[in-house]
């Protein structure tokens, strides 16, 4: 298995996280790797990992991005480096669950699910609720989305997603569009935790791109505008004829 872990200014918690993750993987798997996607951290996060490398059993690779890319693009880059038959994606180090939940979703995936996501049992923010409901009602494929903090993906799903050739990086929706069996595993959060630090403007831009790519809103608007201008043209022609008469 491979674990792709997003790193962005996590120097205060990264050592504890890596050590606990390494112990969990050592206990449950024979062959494993950890890929750290360093999204332009400026607080010495990777130096903290180098300081404990002798204590680790895992093969640890670091992908250093030369400028800030954001979660979706960064994790997609890390995923391409992974060689495991199963890949864990951890979108945040601010985990509010016991790491053993990762093993639980691994066992769930072995029951026939190519993508299993870990979701907290908590009320989503108003912005997320509005966005998820709108996307569900207007999407080309009726999909129910939730907040996800981690997930496991089979190699088959990785290969399938690779041929979709989507220009919009939103893994949560893209995995649903792969057509493979998906499942959400829910857990009770152990503490309050912020899952991402995107500004409202960044969230809005991402939501806009997602709605254009994964829903029929764009085509509906285009058809509506076409009918509007057609009706307007007919009205103007009638007005010109009436004025001439």
């Amino acid at each position: 298995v491979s674990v792709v872990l997003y790193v962005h200014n996590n120097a205060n918690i990264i050592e504890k996280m890596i050590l606990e993750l390494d112990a969990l993987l050592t206990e449950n798997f024979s062959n494993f790797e950890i890929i750290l996607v360093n999204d332009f951290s400026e607080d010495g996060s990777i130096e903290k990992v180098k300081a404990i490398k002798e204590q680790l059993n895992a093969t640890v690779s670091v992908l250093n991005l030369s400028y800030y890319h954001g979660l979706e693009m960064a994790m997609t880059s890390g995923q391409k480096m992974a060689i495991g038959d199963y890949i864990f994606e951890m979108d945040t180090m601010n985990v509010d669950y016991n790491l053993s939940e990762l093993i639980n979703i691994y066992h769930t995936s072995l029951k026939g699910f190519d993508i299993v996501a870990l979701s907290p049992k908590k009320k989503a923010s108003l912005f997320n609720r509005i966005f998820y409901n709108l996307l569900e009602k207007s999407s080309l494929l009726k999909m129910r989305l939730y907040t996800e903090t981690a997930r496991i993906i089979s190699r088959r799903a990785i290969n399938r997603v690779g041929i979709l050739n989507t220009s919009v990086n939103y893994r949560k929706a893209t995995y649903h569009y792969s057509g493979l069996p998906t499942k959400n595993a829910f857990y009770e959060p152990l503490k309050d935790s912020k899952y991402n630090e995107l500004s409202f403007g960044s969230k809005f831009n991402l939501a806009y791109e997602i709605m254009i790519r994964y829903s029929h809103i764009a085509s509906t608007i285009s058809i509506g505008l076409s009918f509007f201008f057609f009706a307007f043209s007919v009205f103007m022609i009638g007005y010109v004829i009436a004025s001439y008469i």
Side-chain angles (χ1 to χ4, degrees):
V1 299
S2 301
V3 179
V4 180
L5 184 57
Y6 181 71
V7 182
H8 179 66
N9 294 334
N10 299 118
N12 58 328
I13 58 175
I14 193 169
E15 287 182 80
K16 181 175 182 293
M17 167 60 71
I18 297 298
L19 288 171
E20 291 182 358
L21 187 58
D22 182 72
L24 180 76
L25 296 172
T26 301
E27 182 180 349
N28 290 276
F29 301 103
S30 299
N31 298 294
F32 50 89
E33 65 171 351
I34 298 175
I35 298 174
L36 304 178
V37 185
N38 179 27
D39 195 8
F40 200 60
S41 296
E42 300 178 295
D43 64 347
S45 295
I46 301 304
E47 283 66 25
K48 294 276 188 179
V49 178
K50 291 179 180 178
I52 60 170
K53 64 180 181 179
E54 300 301 330
Q55 304 176 47
L56 303 176
N57 296 309
T59 298
V60 180
S61 303
V62 179
L63 175 60
N64 288 306
L65 303 182
S66 57
Y67 62 91
Y68 180 75
H69 284 65
L71 175 64
E72 297 296 330
M73 290 185 67
M75 290 297 286
T76 300
S77 299
Q79 182 195 96
K80 291 178 180 179
M81 287 184 61
I83 62 173
D85 296 316
Y86 288 88
I87 300 174
F88 290 99
E89 291 184 346
M90 298 181 66
D91 290 354
T92 177
M93 283 198 191
N94 295 309
V95 298
D96 57 357
Y97 53 88
N98 191 305
L99 288 181
S100 62
E101 294 287 353
L102 298 176
I103 305 304
N104 292 338
I105 62 173
Y106 168 73
H107 288 302
T108 301
S109 71
L110 296 181
K111 296 177 182 178
F113 295 97
D114 286 277
I115 302 112
V116 184
L118 200 55
S119 299
K121 288 181 182 177
K122 63 181 293 186
K123 196 172 184 180
S125 66
L126 178 61
F127 179 86
N128 285 349
R129 292 202 305 273
I130 293 173
F131 171 67
Y132 289 153
N133 288 333
L134 185 59
L135 183 59
E136 181 183 3
K137 288 179 172 57
S138 62
S139 62
L140 305 171
L141 174 67
K142 297 302 179 184
M143 52 186 175
R144 182 66 174 165
L145 300 183
Y146 303 91
T147 298
E148 299 176 4
T149 53
R151 65 188 63 80
I152 187 170
I153 311 155
S154 69
R155 176 55 57 182
R156 181 170 71 157
I158 294 293
N159 294 337
R160 178 71 62 85
V161 169
I163 65 175
L164 292 180
N165 194 28
T166 175
S167 60
V168 179
N169 288 292
Y170 190 56
R171 292 161 297 141
K172 194 186 304 184
T174 303
Y175 292 152
H176 280 272
Y177 270 78
S178 70
L180 297 173
T182 65
K183 185 178 179 64
N184 281 79
F186 295 91
Y187 65 90
E188 291 289 350
L190 302 178
K191 62 179 181 179
D192 289 331
S193 179
K194 291 184 177 180
Y195 302 125
N196 62 62
E197 301 174 352
L198 291 178
S199 64
F200 178 80
S202 298
K203 286 183 177 180
F204 183 83
N205 288 334
L206 179 61
Y208 170 77
E209 290 185 0
I210 293 165
M211 293 302 296
I212 294 298
R213 171 65 178 83
Y214 293 104
S215 75
H216 53 66
I217 284 181
S219 58
T220 301
I221 292 175
S222 299
I223 293 172
L225 287 173
S226 298
F227 275 112
F228 171 78
F229 285 112
F230 173 75
F232 183 75
S233 299
V234 171
F235 171 77
M236 290 303 297
I237 292 172
Y239 175 77
V240 170
I241 294 175
S243 297
Y244 177 76
I245 293 174

